[in-house]
Amino acid sequence: DGGITQSPKYLFRKEGQNVTLSCEQNLNHDAMYWYRQDPGQGLRLIYYSQIVNDFQKGDIAEGYSVSREKKESFPLTVTSAQKNPTAFYLCASSIAPNSNQPQHFGDGTRLSIL
Amino acid sequence: GNSVTQMEGPVTLSEEAFLTINCTYTATGYPSLFWYVQYPGEGLQLLLKATKADDKGSNKGFEATYRKETTSFHLEKGSVQVSDSAVYFCALIGTGGFKTIFGAGTRLFVKA
């Protein structure tokens, strides 16, 4: 079955540590996205990528970094500069840029501070 | 810019009650409209969509009609079940765009 796989499901970060969240898709989608979800709130866009080797900042990119070296993969690094990283992180993909197709989501990674 | 406003929750209903979750939007042109559902501890799943005015999206007993004149896309279900308890997100993609704009989400609790 095609889909999006996020790992790990739970992640703990120590002070001053960078952590990387994995996102892999086998849907052959061009566009990929990272969102942050805080309790009781909606989704906020961190970064998105329309094509391999290209990505753009979303609404809350500070303290985060991404790469898009392969079509299937869009890892997110939460750096030590992100002072409040505790949240639920969702990765998504869609067929193509400039299309009205819905997004497909992974099951998320919950990040907490030790 | 584009935006989506949906009713605040939580919404608490008894099983077999009628559900309405209001959603209105602001966008130029003719956006595509979506409802997503999020079950506890999971990602979002597409529930239904509509891409032009007067279209009705439907799935699993849920329906929503794209109303251009009132810029609305209200979600309805005639008889909810306990298993419908989740958070529901209204969303849009603007004309010529691809970024999805999400509403804040509405949590639904259904009691047996």
Side-chain angles (χ1 to χ4, degrees):
Chain A
D1 277 346
I4 297 181
T5 301
Q6 290 188 243
S7 63
K9 194 168 179 65
Y10 300 95
L11 186 59
F12 298 91
R13 195 190 89 169
K14 296 179 181 178
E15 290 289 334
Q17 185 183 42
N18 294 351
V19 292
T20 297
L21 285 60
S22 170
C23 177
E24 302 278 332
Q25 55 102 355
N26 60 3
L27 298 166
N28 200 33
H29 286 175
D30 286 315
M32 297 187 74
Y33 315 79
W34 274 105
Y35 294 93
R36 171 178 172 142
Q37 187 178 27
D38 292 284
Q41 298 188 30
L43 280 67
R44 292 187 288 170
L45 183 63
I46 304 172
Y47 269 98
Y48 63 99
S49 168
Q50 301 182 59
I51 196 168
V52 174
N53 292 323
D54 187 48
F55 48 83
Q56 286 80 39
K57 293 181 179 180
D59 302 317
I60 56 163
E62 185 173 350
Y64 300 97
S65 65
V66 294
S67 63
R68 186 88 187 274
E69 297 176 1
K70 298 186 301 181
K71 187 175 185 177
E72 302 79 18
S73 178
F74 192 41
L76 172 74
T77 296
V78 184
T79 74
S80 56
Q82 173 49 247
K83 298 306 179 189
N84 183 23
T86 297
F88 190 50
Y89 291 87
L90 287 164
C91 179
S93 69
S94 62
I95 288 176
N98 298 320
S99 79
N100 65 352
Q101 296 304 307
Q103 294 185 9
H104 296 249
F105 285 81
D107 281 339
T109 293
R110 190 168 298 281
L111 176 63
S112 302
I113 294 296
L114 280 178
Chain B
N2 296 341
S3 66
V4 174
T5 302
Q6 57 183 109
M7 63 189 287
E8 285 191 30
V11 174
T12 302
L13 296 173
S14 297
E15 208 166 22
E16 299 184 3
F18 185 86
L19 168 71
T20 300
I21 300 178
N22 290 338
C23 171
T24 57
Y25 67 89
T26 301
T28 55
Y30 294 87
S32 295
L33 302 175
F34 307 86
W35 277 101
Y36 289 85
V37 58
Q38 183 180 32
Y39 298 102
E42 297 183 7
L44 279 68
Q45 303 173 25
L46 178 68
L47 182 58
L48 53 85
K49 69 175 186 178
T51 56
K52 60 182 188 293
D54 299 325
D55 266 1
K56 178 185 283 188
S58 61
N59 186 25
K60 299 180 182 179
F62 291 89
E63 294 182 339
T65 301
Y66 188 144
R67 301 286 188 201
K68 181 71 173 171
E69 62 277 13
T70 55
T71 62
S72 65
F73 193 54
H74 304 322
L75 182 68
E76 297 181 335
K77 186 175 186 183
S79 175
V80 294
Q81 306 300 312
V82 172
S83 57
D84 293 327
S85 298
V87 181
Y88 292 82
F89 291 91
C90 185
L92 71 82
I93 297 176
T95 305
F98 80 104
K99 283 171 61 178
T100 302
I101 307 299
F102 290 91
T106 302
R107 184 174 295 277
L108 170 67
F109 292 106
V110 180
K111 303 180 297 184

